[in-house]
Amino acid sequence: MVGTSQAGQKAPNRQSAHIARKRAALIQSAQQVLADIGPDATIEQISIQANVSPTTIYNHFENKDALLREALDQMWRDWVERANAKQTDEQSFQSRLTVCRELFRVDDSDPLFAKVLRNTLTDPHFVIEAVMAGGVSALREVAPAAGL
């Protein structure tokens, strides 16, 4: 009976890991689609890139826009994290400005992200929705240090 309990506990962990890997793969495919096509891509184009059926995408995301927004948000957060890692004083306002200046060099530092930015900035509303939550929390962190 104890063995059954342990086996029962392992299955959900494996299933959770599988779901997390599938979700991550879908996000990665969506990032490539954002770079190649932009936010106007269809669910079919995303599913072809991910090599899955559209149903699989809908099993993990509410809709195509939710997937694309999460893909952009993840890229944005990853980029900000890498840019911040180069700074010694992460809380100063000047340090945050230096991170922003890194965006001008994004073609060299992250060509895929640069393509995504070029394709998505044609729809500012999409970009704002995608990165707003992360941007607001980052602003709340630096505002006191900047005296705001």
Side-chain angles (χ1 to χ4, degrees), residues 67-123:
L67 169 57
L68 292 176
R69 280 192 303 270
E70 188 161 337
L72 177 57
D73 182 55
Q74 181 179 328
M75 287 188 94
W76 176 255
R77 288 173 187 257
D78 290 348
W79 183 85
V80 168
E81 186 177 309
R82 284 191 313 271
N84 280 329
K86 296 177 184 178
Q87 303 303 312
T88 55
D89 181 12
E90 293 184 24
Q91 295 303 317
S92 78
F93 188 69
Q94 185 63 36
S95 182
R96 296 294 178 168
L97 285 177
T98 301
V99 169
C100 292
R101 289 182 190 111
E102 288 289 321
L103 272 175
F104 293 111
R105 298 181 203 99
V106 74
D107 270 330
D108 297 329
S109 63
D110 192 339
L112 181 65
F113 186 47
K115 284 179 70 176
V116 168
L117 287 177
R118 277 192 291 280
N119 282 337
T120 58
L121 287 174
T122 60
D123 185 354

Side-chain angles (χ1 to χ4, degrees), residues 14-86:
R14 275 190 241 149
Q15 185 178 12
S16 296
H18 174 73
I19 290 169
R21 283 191 306 273
K22 178 59 78 174
R23 187 175 176 85
L26 291 171
I27 290 170
Q28 186 175 10
S29 293
Q31 290 169 344
Q32 186 63 53
V33 169
L34 280 172
D36 294 342
I37 300 166
D40 293 331
T42 65
I43 194 71
E44 288 78 17
Q45 290 168 314
I46 299 168
S47 66
I48 289 168
Q49 176 68 35
N51 200 26
V52 298
S53 75
T55 302
T56 301
I57 294 171
Y58 290 122
N59 286 338
H60 293 273
F61 297 92
E62 180 181 345
N63 55 39
K64 170 197 82 149
D65 290 334
L67 169 57
L68 292 176
R69 280 192 303 270
E70 188 161 337
L72 177 57
D73 182 55
Q74 181 179 328
M75 287 188 94
W76 176 255
R77 288 173 187 257
D78 290 348
W79 183 85
V80 168
E81 186 177 309
R82 284 191 313 271
N84 280 329
K86 296 177 184 178

